[in-house]
Amino acid sequence: MNEYSESSEIATELALEDLGDHTPSWFRGVAFTTLGFSVLASIAALLAGMTAHEIILERTEEIVAVTDRDADLITAEVLRSKHEVQIALGVTPDAEEVEEIAALEAEAAAEDAEAAAGEAAVREYSSEHLVFALAATIFAVAIAITGLSAIVRQRWLWGAGIVMGISAGAILAAGAVWMFS
């Protein structure tokens, strides 16, 4: 073992002894509280990410439905215009195309309903996302406050952090019940 290693070990031992003599007993509680809040904040962030992912998927499906609806309506309008020109020229429009126009309009109405359902799902996921993001944010503040309590050695800050963490936990639990019900 070299001289540097020995002095480093001695310094570490002295620091630990010094901390042991001056560290308040409630610091262990601060550490476990912070650890618990960190785990719950991670869960809240994960659920916020999951709902954000669902928002993107629903929005994409909604856009596809609207695009398909628009394509069907444009095709129906082109066929209708073709028929108007044919009628003006004295030509009878093809009966199959008349049926196709009706089918395209019916399909467009179904795609419109699908897009509306997608929009409703996006609103639902957005609300859930905000709840989980709020919980994660409050947990982050609670973690900062509980950590600060140890730095400034103010036990009341630990209590304030616990109150915030409990509030965030209630928000997380409510969001989870809402999401999984």
Side-chain angles (χ1 to χ4, degrees), residues 46-110:
L46 174 67
L47 292 172
M50 286 172 52
T51 53
H53 179 72
E54 290 297 327
I55 291 167
I56 292 168
L57 289 177
E58 285 294 333
R59 185 64 77 191
T60 301
E61 290 174 9
E62 178 189 350
I63 290 168
V64 168
V66 168
T67 303
D68 289 346
R69 180 207 60 199
D70 290 348
D72 288 344
L73 290 176
I74 290 170
T75 303
E77 189 61 36
V78 168
L79 288 175
R80 213 179 278 104
S81 296
K82 175 184 171 186
H83 291 179
E84 288 174 7
V85 170
Q86 286 176 332
I87 291 170
L89 294 173
V91 177
T92 305
D94 186 9
E96 287 180 18
E97 286 182 351
V98 172
E99 290 175 11
E100 185 179 350
I101 291 171
L104 286 169
E105 289 174 341
E107 180 68 25

Side-chain angles (χ1 to χ4, degrees), residues 92-174:
T92 305
D94 186 9
E96 287 180 18
E97 286 182 351
V98 172
E99 290 175 11
E100 185 179 350
I101 291 171
L104 286 169
E105 289 174 341
E107 180 68 25
E111 290 161 346
D112 223 9
E114 185 181 330
E119 179 61 30
V122 164
R123 280 194 299 275
E124 179 76 14
Y125 285 127
S126 292
S127 297
E128 291 173 359
H129 173 76
L130 289 174
V131 168
F132 293 129
L134 177 63
T137 302
I138 294 173
F139 274 127
V141 173
I143 291 165
I145 289 174
T146 55
L148 181 64
S149 73
I151 294 169
V152 297
R153 295 177 183 258
Q154 295 293 315
R155 197 171 186 165
W156 68 269
L157 278 175
W158 180 35
I162 288 172
V163 169
M164 289 193 77
I166 290 170
S167 300
I171 292 168
L172 175 61

Side-chain angles (χ1 to χ4, degrees), residues 27-45 135-136 138-140 142-144 146-147 158 161-162 164-166 168-170 172:
F27 272 29
R28 182 176 296 240
V30 169
F32 283 116
T33 303
T34 305
L35 174 66
F37 289 165
S38 297
V39 169
L40 292 173
S42 297
I43 291 169
I138 294 173
F139 274 127
I143 291 165
T146 55
W158 180 35
I162 288 172
M164 289 193 77
I166 290 170
L172 175 61

